[in-house]
Each structure stands twice: as C-alpha cells, then as structure tokens.
Amino acid sequence: MNEERNLFLTQLYQLYYDALVLYCCRRLIGEPDAMGQAEQYVQEAFIRAAESYEELKSHPKIKGWLYKTVEHILHNEQAKNFRRSKMHSFSLDKEDAKQVPDAIDVIQAYVDHEDYHERMEKVYQVLNDNQLVLFEEHFQNERPLKEITKDQGLAMGT
C-alpha cells in the first residue's frame, strides 16, 4: 500500500511538477523571486496531494485537482502578502497623512514621560553588562542591531 502510494505520488510529480511551476511563474510575473515562490507553492500542492492520496487516487481529473490546488495556494499567498503590505505601507506626504511611528520616536515619547527615569533604573538593574551595551548602542546611539551584533560577535537572533 505504501509502495503503491509512493509510486503514484512520484508519477504525479514527474508528470506535472514542471508544468505547475511554469503555470505559477506566469501568474507571478513581476514578483521578485517568482521562480522560488512558484516552486514553493507547487511543493505545497504536492504535500496536499500526499495528504489527500485516498481521495486523489480515484479522482476523475487529477491534473485539474493539482492545478486548482496550486491556484488556491497562490491566491491565498497573494492575498496574505497584500494584507501584509497594507499593514506596512504609509504615505510619504508628511503634511496630509499620518506616518507609521518610528521606533526611535516611540522611545523618545517614552523618555519624555515623567516615569522614564524610574523605569530606566529598573531596566538597568535587570540587564547584564552585555545586554546593557546592546541596549545603549541601539536605543541611545541609534545604531542598527545588525551592526551592533556584528561588532559584538553575536548572532542576530541573540
């Protein structure tokens, strides 16, 4: 049974992988890394095919099922990316539109708050020496974290 399943999925992969990637690439024209995205979406479709093996082995139009699955994945990803871009976009017209607050502006507003010094004492109490250097470099000297971690010999995730 497992061998039959693997053979079935391998044949599907060999028959339709390239055509499905090409189909996705055509739909993703103008996107950065269209080929990488297309391959990712097609891989996801084959994962779903493996999960739906029982249904798919007796499906009358397997090719159509695969194309429709890729189309749904592509549509969902594009919709998700569109929603993300709307959340991160802002106007460059400073007079007429509200800007997304800069992290430094938010920190500066907090600094201006009267409880700032008390809270900063608490922050300094809980940070070790290495963390304190990172904190001061990033928030007070406005250096990018990537630059600071490189100087400190740390991984960015750290």
Side-chain angles (χ1 to χ4, degrees):
M1 177 77 166
N2 201 17
E3 189 175 312
E4 178 185 320
R5 178 179 179 267
N6 288 342
L7 180 63
F8 176 78
L9 293 170
T10 301
Q11 288 174 341
L12 282 183
Y13 190 87
Q14 290 172 344
L15 282 171
Y16 299 115
Y17 179 81
D18 292 334
L20 287 167
V21 169
L22 184 60
Y23 171 75
C24 282
C25 282
R26 279 192 229 119
R27 298 275 311 265
L28 293 167
I29 286 179
E31 293 283 327
D33 190 31
M35 184 63 151
Q37 288 179 5
E39 290 175 340
Q40 179 183 348
Y41 300 156
V42 172
Q43 289 294 332
E44 177 65 30
F46 278 103
I47 289 170
R48 291 184 188 181
E51 292 168 349
S52 303
Y53 167 71
E54 290 299 323
E55 171 198 342
L56 199 55
K57 71 179 181 181
S58 61
H59 197 282
K61 296 183 180 179
I62 296 171
K63 180 179 178 181
W65 186 96
L66 284 169
Y67 274 86
K68 204 51 133 166
T69 301
V70 167
E71 188 176 324
H72 285 292
I73 292 168
L74 193 134
H75 174 74
N76 290 341
E77 287 298 318
Q78 286 179 326
K80 185 170 43 173
N81 290 338
F82 178 73
R83 285 190 306 272
R84 283 182 184 158
S85 72
K86 282 181 73 172
M87 288 189 319
H88 296 292
S89 64
F90 59 94
S91 172
L92 296 177
D93 185 6
K94 290 185 179 184
E95 290 78 31
D96 295 333
K98 190 173 184 176
Q99 298 291 307
V100 174
D102 186 25
I104 299 301
D105 293 340
V106 173
I107 292 169
Q108 188 60 47
Y110 187 74
V111 167
D112 296 340
H113 193 267
E114 59 193 61
D115 293 335
Y116 166 74
H117 295 291
E118 293 172 15
R119 293 183 186 198
M120 286 309 296
E121 284 180 31
K122 290 180 183 177
V123 168
Y124 279 91
Q125 288 173 0
V126 297
L127 295 177
N128 65 35
D129 292 337
N130 293 338
Q131 293 168 331
L132 191 57
V133 168
L134 293 171
F135 180 81
E136 288 176 344
E137 285 294 310
H138 182 65
F139 292 108
Q140 292 178 343
N141 299 336
E142 299 181 16
R143 285 185 62 205
L145 287 175
K146 191 173 186 177
E147 191 178 294
I148 298 167
T149 55
K150 184 178 178 185
D151 290 347
Q152 298 292 324
L154 301 170
M156 184 67 172
T158 306

